[in-house]
Amino acid sequence: MVKVAILGYGVVGSGVAEVLANHLDSIARRAKEEIRIKYILDVRDFPDSPFADRFTKSFDQIVNDPEVRVVAEVIGGLDPAFDYVKRCLLAGKSVVTSNKELVAAKGAQLLKIAQDNNVNFLFEASVGGGIPIIRPISQCLAANDVIEIAGILNGTTNFILTKMIREQMSFEDALALAQKLGYAERNPAADVEGHDACRKICILASLAYGKHVYPEQVHTEGITKITLQDVEYAESWGGVIKLIGQVKKLEDGRIQVAVAPMLIDQDSQLANVDDVFNGILVRGDATGDVVFYGKGAGKLPTASAVVADIIDCVKHFKARKYLYWEDGVKDYVLPYEESVVPVYIRAHAQDAEAAAVKAEELFGAVRRLYRDNAPEEELAFSTNQEWSIGDIKAKVDQLEQSGVTVDAVIRISDL
Ligand code: HSE
């Protein structure tokens, strides 16, 4: 029998305990060992929980107990999670986590400690909730050079955008519902400002290209500025707005990476990924496009991935699983201003027709977009040409200097 500990009894932690207890026999068959929860660490009391006798408030009790071979860290955040995970690995325990903030900030360091201590550090649940993506990239697609990864990586924002598009629900109401359903982060700013998706694309980029990409290196925008007008214009353009995390390998060895709302064509494989679902497209040189789809957030989907990692650790006490990337380096990421894209722009001006003429002077031929009941002053268009982000900013400034107020600039993706 293998004894495990769970650090944190929040949405995911309680799901992990539930899955381990409810699937005891099938898990034992797959792991070839019975897996029992010995401790659950939480600062709160849960006297009515079916696991009430396993709760402890002492991390030391867990880290000093040689019977505990695997620890599931589902506290989230960096402090105290980083310290706890490091100490567990140093104590010779394998660790699994759903904590994307931790892996995105400290992945290279923790993978090195795990390697030095001959234990496993696995984090399937950190990206895509219940969708298998870490293992497929590191194992099943290992024969490919990964050309690009692009995905809808945050369930909460996708849920909000879907509610805005389908039900004209306000941003605030949709967010409140996502929180109630257990999708959102403790601080939902991490979802709506794009930081959660940023952490996930960092993890995928680090894994695919073997060098740590840190969140500070990634241009990150959220969905807080997206309005129902933009949603309507996107529809008239022939697509939808989605929050996309995207990374591409460049010929010079650097990578291009960003998280931003993007207009994607209705025919794209990601266009119909709705609600709390995530969709992740991996473009391999041998496989072509492979798309992973499933529930990207929520108690049981995420717990399912954490428990699968626990099983994998139990099966690999003797032979370590190879999962590794190096520390990151400066200048590895293309400066955001240099990335080249077409864009959609929404603006208003006293004379919208004159503003359209000015827009064509600056951006070349543009495609005008229309929506029902738009005020006369409103103007929306997509550029036919691609421009660098730096050029786009300069052209937007020029447009504004001519008396036009630019209300939205959204990149158009090639997905
Ligand atoms: N808040 C995250 C999301 C949870 O909405 O995707 C899963 O990582």
Side-chain angles (χ1 to χ4, degrees):
M1 182 192 298
V2 175
K3 303 276 176 68
V4 303
I6 302 171
L7 310 184
Y9 197 65
V11 174
V12 181
S14 58
V16 171
E18 193 179 315
V19 171
L20 279 172
N22 291 348
H23 298 83
L24 205 65
D25 293 341
S26 59
I27 288 173
R29 257 198 326 277
R30 289 179 189 135
K32 299 195 172 51
E33 290 260 19
E34 199 176 306
I35 299 178
R36 290 272 178 185
I37 303 166
K38 182 158 185 186
Y39 302 108
I40 302 176
L41 180 78
D42 206 290
V43 289
R44 299 162 296 177
D45 292 311
F46 295 91
D48 301 327
S49 155
F51 309 101
D53 57 332
R54 331 274 167 97
F55 279 90
T56 176
K57 292 186 169 57
S58 165
F59 171 72
D60 285 346
Q61 188 179 11
I62 295 172
V63 76
N64 292 326
D65 185 339
E67 248 193 1
V68 174
R69 305 278 311 272
V70 183
V71 174
E73 184 280 304
V74 284
I75 305 168
L78 289 183
D79 183 25
F82 175 53
D83 179 52
Y84 287 178
V85 169
K86 197 162 75 174
R87 286 169 61 193
C88 287
L89 294 171
L90 288 168
K93 301 178 193 310
S94 287
V95 176
V96 307
T97 184
S98 59
N99 187 341
K100 47 264 159 138
E101 188 173 354
L102 177 70
V103 183
K106 306 284 184 188
Q109 195 178 336
L110 292 170
L111 285 166
K112 172 88 172 67
I113 297 173
Q115 189 182 47
D116 291 347
N117 289 274
N118 204 28
V119 288
N120 280 301
F121 175 56
L122 304 181
F123 39 86
E124 183 62 65
S126 65
V127 182
I131 308 172
I133 183 69
I134 302 292
R135 230 172 239 90
I137 292 181
S138 65
Q139 294 178 12
C140 317
L141 300 174
N144 284 259
D145 279 342
V146 175
I147 297 165
E148 173 175 358
I149 301 176
I152 295 168
L153 299 169
N154 180 268
T156 301
T157 45
N158 204 39
F159 181 84
I160 294 171
L161 289 172
T162 306
K163 292 287 172 200
M164 286 172 75
I165 294 166
R166 293 265 174 84
E167 298 169 29
Q168 280 73 49
M169 194 182 270
S170 74
F171 181 94
E172 291 73 20
D173 288 351
L175 172 59
L177 190 53
Q179 285 177 292
K180 195 169 141 213
L181 292 168
Y183 301 154
E185 298 300 299
R186 245 179 306 176
N187 175 2
D191 295 298
V192 300
E193 302 290 357
H195 303 302
D196 179 75
C198 167
R199 290 164 188 151
K200 291 166 176 167
I201 200 70
C202 286
I203 296 170
L204 296 180
S206 305
L207 188 65
Y209 301 125
K211 224 185 271 287
H212 199 121
V213 180
Y214 300 97
E216 311 79 76
Q217 294 176 295
V218 179
H219 171 88
T220 301
E221 282 170 60
I223 61 160
T224 49
K225 294 189 191 126
I226 303 295
T227 64
L228 288 173
Q229 290 97 304
D230 297 319
V231 165
E232 283 178 44
Y233 280 123
E235 200 179 343
S236 85
W237 174 82
V240 284
I241 299 171
K242 294 285 187 190
L243 184 67
I244 302 286
Q246 189 173 28
V247 60
K248 287 182 193 179
K249 185 87 177 165
L250 302 174
E251 277 178 8
D252 64 8
R254 291 184 298 169
I255 58 165
Q256 179 177 329
V257 57
V259 172
M262 297 186 197
L263 236 73
I264 59 175
D265 194 283
Q266 197 55 59
D267 292 335
S268 158
Q269 305 208 61
L270 298 180
N272 294 311
V273 175
D274 285 335
D275 291 308
V276 73
F277 285 84
N278 284 188
I280 306 164
L281 182 151
V282 181
R283 185 164 291 161
D285 65 340
T287 54
D289 291 356
V290 182
V291 180
F292 299 85
Y293 172 80
K295 280 199 176 148
K299 175 173 165 167
L300 292 178
T302 311
S304 145
V306 174
V307 173
D309 275 351
I310 295 176
I311 295 171
D312 219 4
C313 286
V314 171
K315 285 164 81 175
H316 290 90
F317 281 139
K318 294 201 179 96
R320 246 195 104 250
K321 294 209 63 159
Y322 185 79
L323 190 58
Y324 196 76
W325 63 70
E326 293 171 4
D327 276 330
V329 286
K330 215 168 146 271
D331 301 330
Y332 176 47
V333 174
L334 181 81
Y336 183 64
E337 309 278 305
E338 291 175 29
S339 44
V340 175
V341 286
V343 282
Y344 147 88
I345 290 181
R346 176 171 56 82
H348 66 273
Q350 256 182 351
D351 184 344
E353 291 314 308
V357 172
K358 184 71 188 167
E360 292 222 312
E361 256 174 49
L362 291 164
F363 288 99
V366 300
R367 176 176 156 205
R368 291 282 294 273
L369 301 171
Y370 299 94
R371 68 180 182 100
D372 290 342
N373 305 320
E376 263 182 30
E377 305 77 44
E378 194 168 86
L379 164 76
F381 60 90
S382 57
T383 64
N384 292 348
Q385 275 171 256
E386 299 185 331
W387 303 91
S388 74
I389 299 284
D391 280 347
I392 291 165
K393 283 186 179 161
K395 287 173 193 298
V396 164
D397 281 350
Q398 281 174 270
L399 201 55
E400 293 210 305
Q401 276 157 24
S402 74
V404 178
T405 305
V406 174
D407 300 303
V409 181
I410 300 177
R411 3 183 334 162
I412 297 175
S413 91
D414 55 355
L415 295 167

